[in-house]
Amino acid sequence: MTAIEVLPGCVLHPGWFPPADQTALVDDLRRVLAEAPLFQPVMPRTGKPFSVRMSNCGALGWVSDRAGYRYQPGHPATGQPWPPMPDRLLALWDAVAGYPQPPEACLINWYGPGAKMGMHQDRDEEAFDAPVVSVSLGDTAVFRIGGTSRGGPTRSVRLASGDVIVFGGPARLAHHGIDRLVPGTSTLLKDGGRINLTLRRVTKPAA
Ligand code: MD6
Ligand code: FE
Protein backbone atom coordinates (compact mmCIF):
# COMPACT_ATOMS: atom_id res chain seq x y z
CA MET A 1 0.00 0.00 0.00
CA THR A 2 1.07 3.57 -0.45
CA ALA A 3 2.73 5.53 2.32
CA ILE A 4 0.82 8.36 4.01
CA GLU A 5 2.56 11.44 5.40
CA VAL A 6 0.68 12.01 8.66
CA LEU A 7 2.75 15.11 9.51
CA PRO A 8 5.98 16.36 7.96
CA GLY A 9 8.54 13.64 8.73
CA CYS A 10 5.98 11.17 10.11
CA VAL A 11 5.20 8.54 7.47
CA LEU A 12 2.70 5.71 7.90
CA HIS A 13 3.04 2.51 5.83
CA PRO A 14 -0.33 0.77 6.32
CA GLY A 15 -0.12 -3.03 6.19
CA TRP A 16 3.64 -3.12 5.56
CA PHE A 17 3.81 -6.65 6.97
CA PRO A 18 1.27 -9.08 5.50
CA PRO A 19 -0.33 -11.55 7.93
CA ALA A 20 2.21 -14.37 7.35
CA ASP A 21 5.08 -11.99 8.10
CA GLN A 22 3.30 -10.74 11.23
CA THR A 23 3.10 -14.33 12.49
CA ALA A 24 6.78 -14.90 11.68
CA LEU A 25 7.67 -11.70 13.52
CA VAL A 26 5.73 -12.78 16.61
CA ASP A 27 7.64 -16.10 16.47
CA ASP A 28 10.93 -14.15 16.28
CA LEU A 29 9.84 -12.13 19.31
CA ARG A 30 8.88 -15.18 21.34
CA ARG A 31 12.43 -16.44 20.85
CA VAL A 32 13.80 -13.07 21.96
CA LEU A 33 11.54 -13.01 25.04
CA ALA A 34 12.57 -16.54 26.03
CA GLU A 35 16.08 -15.13 26.51
CA ALA A 36 15.21 -11.60 27.60
CA PRO A 37 11.92 -11.81 29.54
CA LEU A 38 9.45 -8.93 29.69
CA PHE A 39 10.07 -6.70 32.69
CA GLN A 40 7.91 -4.10 34.40
CA PRO A 41 9.46 -0.64 33.98
CA VAL A 42 8.70 2.10 36.52
CA MET A 43 8.78 5.89 36.25
CA PRO A 44 11.91 7.70 37.36
CA ARG A 45 11.71 9.05 40.93
CA THR A 46 8.07 8.11 41.63
CA GLY A 47 8.46 4.40 40.89
CA LYS A 48 4.96 4.32 39.36
CA PRO A 49 4.74 1.25 37.10
CA PHE A 50 4.16 1.65 33.36
CA SER A 51 1.03 -0.08 32.09
CA VAL A 52 3.10 -1.85 29.41
CA ARG A 53 5.79 -4.46 30.00
CA MET A 54 9.04 -4.22 28.04
CA SER A 55 12.08 -6.00 26.72
CA ASN A 56 14.65 -5.26 24.03
CA CYS A 57 16.82 -6.79 21.38
CA GLY A 58 19.91 -5.43 19.66
CA ALA A 59 23.17 -4.14 21.10
CA LEU A 60 21.44 -1.68 23.41
CA GLY A 61 18.13 -1.69 25.25
CA TRP A 62 16.03 1.13 26.69
CA VAL A 63 15.13 0.82 30.36
CA SER A 64 13.34 3.01 32.88
CA ASP A 65 13.67 2.67 36.65
CA ARG A 66 13.76 4.95 39.69
CA ALA A 67 17.21 6.17 38.61
CA GLY A 68 16.01 7.40 35.20
CA TYR A 69 15.71 6.48 31.54
CA ARG A 70 18.72 5.12 29.70
CA TYR A 71 20.11 2.67 27.17
CA GLN A 72 22.16 -0.22 28.52
CA PRO A 73 23.78 -3.32 27.00
CA GLY A 74 22.14 -5.87 29.29
CA HIS A 75 18.79 -6.96 30.71
CA PRO A 76 18.02 -5.30 34.06
CA ALA A 77 17.00 -8.57 35.76
CA THR A 78 19.27 -11.19 34.18
CA GLY A 79 22.29 -8.96 33.42
CA GLN A 80 22.66 -10.86 30.13
CA PRO A 81 23.27 -9.05 26.82
CA TRP A 82 20.09 -8.38 24.83
CA PRO A 83 19.44 -10.99 22.10
CA PRO A 84 20.37 -9.97 18.55
CA MET A 85 17.85 -8.10 16.45
CA PRO A 86 15.94 -10.45 14.12
CA ASP A 87 16.96 -10.15 10.44
CA ARG A 88 13.37 -9.27 9.54
CA LEU A 89 13.70 -6.05 11.57
CA LEU A 90 17.13 -5.17 10.17
CA ALA A 91 15.62 -5.57 6.69
CA LEU A 92 12.72 -3.28 7.62
CA TRP A 93 15.15 -0.59 8.78
CA ASP A 94 17.09 -0.87 5.52
CA ALA A 95 13.87 -0.49 3.55
CA VAL A 96 12.33 2.51 5.32
CA ALA A 97 14.82 4.36 7.54
CA GLY A 98 16.95 6.01 4.88
CA TYR A 99 19.86 5.95 7.33
CA PRO A 100 23.27 4.50 6.48
CA GLN A 101 23.97 2.72 9.78
CA PRO A 102 21.95 -0.13 11.26
CA PRO A 103 19.68 0.29 14.29
CA GLU A 104 21.23 -0.49 17.67
CA ALA A 105 18.12 -0.92 19.79
CA CYS A 106 14.69 -2.43 19.37
CA LEU A 107 12.37 -1.70 22.29
CA ILE A 108 9.55 -4.23 22.67
CA ASN A 109 6.44 -2.79 24.35
CA TRP A 110 3.82 -5.37 25.31
CA TYR A 111 0.32 -3.98 25.86
CA GLY A 112 -2.20 -6.10 27.72
CA PRO A 113 -5.85 -5.19 27.17
CA GLY A 114 -6.32 -1.78 28.84
CA ALA A 115 -2.67 -0.70 28.65
CA LYS A 116 -1.79 2.72 27.24
CA MET A 117 1.18 5.05 27.01
CA GLY A 118 1.31 8.69 28.07
CA MET A 119 2.44 11.47 25.74
CA HIS A 120 6.24 11.56 25.51
CA GLN A 121 9.16 12.39 23.25
CA ASP A 122 11.84 9.86 22.30
CA ARG A 123 14.95 11.82 23.16
CA ASP A 124 17.30 9.51 25.04
CA GLU A 125 19.32 8.86 21.86
CA GLU A 126 22.33 10.81 20.63
CA ALA A 127 21.48 10.35 16.97
CA PHE A 128 18.41 12.55 16.34
CA ASP A 129 19.32 12.56 12.66
CA ALA A 130 18.18 8.92 12.53
CA PRO A 131 14.44 8.19 12.48
CA VAL A 132 12.60 5.92 14.90
CA VAL A 133 10.88 3.08 13.02
CA SER A 134 7.83 1.62 14.76
CA VAL A 135 5.95 -1.65 14.09
CA SER A 136 2.47 -2.46 15.40
CA LEU A 137 1.28 -6.05 15.94
CA GLY A 138 -2.02 -7.27 17.38
CA ASP A 139 -4.96 -5.09 18.35
CA THR A 140 -5.31 -1.66 16.73
CA ALA A 141 -4.06 1.26 18.82
CA VAL A 142 -5.27 4.84 18.89
CA PHE A 143 -1.99 6.75 18.49
CA ARG A 144 -1.84 10.48 19.23
CA ILE A 145 0.81 12.73 17.75
CA GLY A 146 1.44 16.41 18.38
CA GLY A 147 4.29 18.81 17.83
CA THR A 148 7.69 19.29 19.38
CA SER A 149 6.32 21.44 22.21
CA ARG A 150 3.98 20.10 24.86
CA GLY A 151 0.29 20.85 24.83
CA GLY A 152 -0.05 21.92 21.18
CA PRO A 153 -2.60 20.55 18.72
CA THR A 154 -2.57 16.79 18.17
CA ARG A 155 -3.84 14.32 15.59
CA SER A 156 -5.06 10.82 16.19
CA VAL A 157 -4.09 7.92 13.93
CA ARG A 158 -5.15 4.27 14.19
CA LEU A 159 -2.26 1.83 14.01
CA ALA A 160 -3.33 -1.65 12.92
CA SER A 161 -1.42 -4.93 13.00
CA GLY A 162 1.34 -4.91 10.39
CA ASP A 163 1.50 -1.11 10.11
CA VAL A 164 4.87 0.65 10.19
CA ILE A 165 5.31 4.29 11.13
CA VAL A 166 8.55 6.21 10.62
CA PHE A 167 9.32 9.26 12.78
CA GLY A 168 12.05 11.31 11.19
CA GLY A 169 13.09 14.82 10.25
CA PRO A 170 10.81 17.45 11.78
CA ALA A 171 8.70 14.74 13.48
CA ARG A 172 11.64 13.05 15.22
CA LEU A 173 11.00 14.93 18.47
CA ALA A 174 7.21 15.14 18.21
CA HIS A 175 5.18 14.30 21.31
CA HIS A 176 3.16 11.12 20.94
CA GLY A 177 1.39 8.45 22.96
CA ILE A 178 -1.15 5.64 22.88
CA ASP A 179 -4.62 6.63 24.11
CA ARG A 180 -6.05 3.12 24.07
CA LEU A 181 -6.29 -0.19 22.26
CA VAL A 182 -9.36 -1.20 20.27
CA PRO A 183 -10.14 -4.69 21.63
CA GLY A 184 -10.95 -7.56 19.29
CA THR A 185 -9.41 -5.98 16.16
CA SER A 186 -6.79 -8.69 15.56
CA THR A 187 -6.44 -12.43 16.07
CA LEU A 188 -2.63 -12.39 15.86
CA LEU A 189 -2.09 -12.65 19.64
CA LYS A 190 -4.25 -15.35 21.15
CA ASP A 191 -5.01 -13.42 24.35
CA GLY A 192 -5.43 -10.07 22.57
CA GLY A 193 -3.34 -7.02 23.36
CA ARG A 194 -0.67 -5.43 21.24
CA ILE A 195 3.08 -5.41 20.65
CA ASN A 196 4.90 -2.29 19.53
CA LEU A 197 8.49 -2.43 18.34
CA THR A 198 10.60 0.71 18.01
CA LEU A 199 13.91 0.50 16.19
CA ARG A 200 16.41 3.20 17.02
CA ARG A 201 19.91 4.33 16.27
CA VAL A 202 21.28 5.37 19.67
CA THR A 203 24.90 6.45 19.18
CA LYS A 204 26.30 8.73 16.53
CA PRO A 205 28.56 6.76 14.23
CA ALA A 206 32.22 7.80 14.57
CA ALA A 207 32.83 10.63 12.10
C1 MD6 B 1 3.45 2.59 20.57
N1 MD6 B 1 5.15 4.17 20.12
O1 MD6 B 1 3.15 2.62 19.37
C2 MD6 B 1 4.35 3.61 21.15
N2 MD6 B 1 7.96 6.30 19.60
O2 MD6 B 1 3.02 1.74 21.33
C3 MD6 B 1 6.10 5.07 20.38
O3 MD6 B 1 6.32 5.47 21.50
C4 MD6 B 1 6.90 5.59 19.27
O4 MD6 B 1 5.51 4.69 17.59
C5 MD6 B 1 8.72 6.86 18.64
C6 MD6 B 1 8.44 6.70 17.32
C7 MD6 B 1 7.37 5.95 16.94
C8 MD6 B 1 6.57 5.39 17.93
FE1 FE C 1 7.87 6.87 21.63
Side-chain angles (χ1 to χ4, degrees), residues 85-105:
M85 221 179 289
D87 289 343
R88 219 177 297 282
L89 294 176
L90 296 172
L92 168 68
W93 178 272
D94 284 347
V96 300
Y99 194 75
Q101 279 80 29
E104 294 168 298

Side-chain angles (χ1 to χ4, degrees), residues 120 122 176 200:
H120 65 275
D122 284 40
H176 57 277
R200 302 112 186 275

Side-chain angles (χ1 to χ4, degrees), residues 113-124:
K116 55 196 176 159
M117 183 166 305
M119 294 293 279
H120 65 275
Q121 291 171 293
D122 284 40
R123 56 172 191 197
D124 298 321

Side-chain angles (χ1 to χ4, degrees), residues 18-104:
D21 289 10
Q22 295 173 35
T23 302
L25 202 41
V26 172
D27 290 344
D28 290 341
L29 294 171
R30 293 201 192 278
R31 282 187 285 273
V32 165
L33 295 177
E35 261 186 78
L38 291 167
F39 59 93
Q40 179 70 72
V42 300
M43 291 294 288
R45 296 181 306 281
T46 64
K48 185 177 183 293
F50 284 52
S51 70
V52 298
R53 289 181 301 153
M54 294 180 173
S55 189
N56 292 272
C57 53
L60 291 170
W62 189 86
V63 300
S64 179
D65 59 21
R66 281 185 180 270
Y69 307 130
R70 65 191 171 276
Y71 284 93
Q72 63 181 42
H75 189 285
T78 69
Q80 290 299 114
W82 302 107
M85 221 179 289
D87 289 343
R88 219 177 297 282
L89 294 176
L90 296 172
L92 168 68
W93 178 272
D94 284 347
V96 300
Y99 194 75
Q101 279 80 29
E104 294 168 298

Side-chain angles (χ1 to χ4, degrees), residues 153-168:
T154 63
R155 280 197 53 179
S156 170
V157 180
R158 285 183 180 229
L159 299 178
S161 195
D163 288 359
V164 167
I165 193 162
V166 181
F167 260 55

Side-chain angles (χ1 to χ4, degrees), residues 21 43 94 109 178 190 198 206:
D21 289 10
M43 291 294 288
D94 284 347
N109 283 149
I178 296 290
K190 71 173 182 349
T198 40

